[in-house]
Amino acid sequence: MAAPGENLKINGDRLWDSLMEMAKIGPGVAGGNNRQTLTDEDAEGRALFQKWCEAAGMSMGLDQMGNMFARREGTDPDALPVYVGSHLDTQPTGGKYDGVLGVLGGLEIIRSLNDLGIKTKHPIVVTNWTNEEGTRYAPAMLASGVFAGIHTQDWAYEREDADGKSFGSELERIGWRGEEEVGARKMHAFFELHIEQGPILEAEGKEIGVVTHGQGLSWTQVTVTGKDSHTGSTPMPMRRNAGLGMARILELVDEIAWSHKPHAVGAAGHIDVYPNSRNVIPGKVVFTVDFRSPDLAVIEDMEQRLAEGAAQICGEMGLHVEFEKVGGFDPVTFDEDCVKAVRNAAERLGYSHRDLISGAGHDACWINRVAPTAMVMCPCVDGLSHNEAEEISQDWATAGANVLFHAVVETAEIVA
Ligand code: HGY
Ligand code: MN
Ligand code: MN
């Protein structure tokens, strides 16, 4: 006798069509997406998501950080809802699936429950978290961080982008600032489907990643100050070259990360050079060092060695250096029961799977602080992400969404 919901399956074609439809909003220049948070493109993507949710019979809630909550009623209105979702914002040269698969995978669960006429005891809420990427406004996972009580809303509203536009003013401008108090919602559990953004699942031929942990993250903004001067007429001994200082510090960052192989990673993705003129020696460079590891002690060691090593490099070069911690979270251990629901679902559905530590940060990493949380991952081609060439197969998307479906519905308890 099949267990309740044994053969629950989502409609993979419909999910894929929705992914391709959403990908038309905020297109990149090489087949991916540039739908950065709080831009007009983000607003357009939100409106499409809301339209789809309402067409699926859900009611939309919106909080003061612009987090979206589409609710499907359960038979017990007092039961805490099961939340499922991710983010619709993308990197400037992002892919079509990072975050979006998790939001539209949640919507597909609702569409499939409607098709099957299935009710659950607990309501189910599909969520779009604002500004997961942290590119336009640092840090990453900003709105889920406010929801989880990590950041204050005022601090978040004051974050500024490269043009000096604040988060609060841009959220107001695009018309997606809700009235709901952020974090007032209580959750029975939270599940997030996400592409792996790394090479392990594809390399091992596994369809599903059962995410047991998330590695920790540290973002240190480094400002190196030297002296603008002529690249032609300034004798070498007189130069105070902030660009060269940064180069030597980035060599050090690479060395520090390698010293903690095989798990630790380190690099700088954000670099601003001033005045960035071909014939002026950079007088100032601002860059963000991104260190990650599953081990908190390793992260702390890397931060310490960066501070000491960079100070020494700049001291020897007559440069000034300042550090500011602009983002970070400790390694995450997801909820055992939710992880078990994911693993059992993969087994029940017959998908090849393996336990996995998430290399990237996700909203689930913060929500795990306030509700039992777990993640489902699917492979991506060559492990590539944060690149417009990010690609997955429809089968992988379908498998991930089916596992998400079973984990969510098992936790929300099928009634009829
Ligand atoms: O930075 C991260 O890991 C995520 O993609 N925001
Ligand atoms: Mn993501
Ligand atoms: Mn991302």
Side-chain angles (χ1 to χ4, degrees), residues 132-133 140-141 197 217 219 292 360-361 386:
E132 187 281 341
E133 291 295 357
M141 299 106 74
Q197 301 182 294
L217 171 153
W219 281 0
R292 309 212 190 181
H386 286 194

Side-chain angles (χ1 to χ4, degrees), residues 49-346:
F49 173 59
Q50 169 144 350
K51 188 180 93 182
W52 283 340
C53 289
E54 288 171 348
M58 293 194 270
S59 56
M60 185 64 78
L62 187 68
D63 73 13
Q64 294 175 30
M65 284 295 289
N67 295 315
M68 299 172 75
F69 303 102
R71 179 185 169 107
R72 181 183 199 254
E73 290 310 329
T75 55
D76 176 353
D78 301 330
L80 287 182
V82 174
Y83 282 68
V84 54
S86 188
H87 61 93
L88 291 173
D89 67 307
T90 75
Q91 288 284 332
T93 55
K96 300 191 281 285
Y97 312 98
D98 171 0
V100 187
L101 177 62
V103 177
L104 300 188
L107 169 60
E108 177 52 35
I109 288 175
I110 304 302
R111 287 169 165 171
S112 300
L113 286 172
N114 292 344
D115 292 348
L116 296 164
I118 291 176
K119 291 188 174 53
T120 57
K121 176 187 169 209
H122 296 260
I124 298 175
V125 177
V126 183
T127 307
N128 168 35
W129 299 106
T130 304
N131 188 40
E132 187 281 341
E133 291 295 357
T135 303
R136 185 179 180 197
Y137 294 104
M141 299 106 74
L142 181 60
S144 52
V146 174
F147 187 94
I150 309 299
H151 314 299
T152 68
Q153 185 171 306
D154 290 348
W155 182 80
Y157 272 30
E158 288 157 12
R159 302 298 92 219
E160 290 190 354
D161 68 6
D163 301 324
K165 291 180 185 159
S166 73
F167 179 99
S169 65
E170 282 292 279
L171 180 63
E172 201 69 53
R173 181 186 68 79
I174 66 166
W176 282 92
R177 181 190 182 285
E179 292 311 318
E180 256 190 51
E181 182 200 338
V182 185
R185 288 172 172 261
K186 298 305 165 216
M187 301 177 175
H188 181 54
F190 175 69
F191 290 93
E192 181 169 3
L193 167 62
H194 206 286
I195 61 171
E196 180 197 341
Q197 301 182 294
I200 297 169
L201 293 176
E202 186 189 39
E204 293 184 7
K206 296 286 191 290
E207 295 162 296
I208 296 293
V210 179
V211 185
T212 56
H213 300 81
Q215 70 174 348
L217 171 153
S218 157
W219 281 0
T220 302
Q221 181 168 294
V222 184
T223 302
V224 176
T225 312
K227 189 173 180 185
D228 302 5
S229 58
H230 199 297
T231 49
S233 54
T234 309
M236 291 302 279
M238 285 176 63
R239 295 177 177 209
R240 291 188 27 234
N241 184 339
L244 181 60
M246 175 191 70
R248 290 182 179 163
I249 292 170
L250 294 187
E251 271 294 338
L252 172 68
V253 165
D254 195 59
E255 206 181 286
I256 291 170
W258 276 106
S259 74
H260 285 290
K261 66 178 186 289
H263 296 303
V265 292
H270 150 243
I271 297 176
D272 288 323
V273 182
Y274 301 92
N276 202 23
S277 162
R278 288 180 180 76
N279 43 11
V280 178
I281 290 171
K284 182 172 135 184
V285 185
V286 183
F287 55 101
T288 303
V289 174
D290 179 327
F291 278 133
R292 309 212 190 181
S293 165
D295 180 339
L296 182 57
V298 168
I299 292 176
E300 288 166 347
D301 175 64
M302 295 199 283
E303 289 175 331
Q304 167 100 24
R305 287 162 63 187
L306 167 66
E308 288 165 0
Q312 188 180 340
I313 287 166
C314 291
E316 287 160 1
M317 297 178 70
L319 302 172
H320 179 71
V321 64
E322 286 171 10
F323 307 93
E324 184 191 349
K325 186 85 181 276
V326 292
F329 56 85
D330 294 354
V332 171
T333 302
F334 288 114
D335 176 81
E336 226 172 285
D337 291 337
C338 290
V339 170
K340 222 178 273 165
V342 170
R343 192 180 294 114
N344 294 346

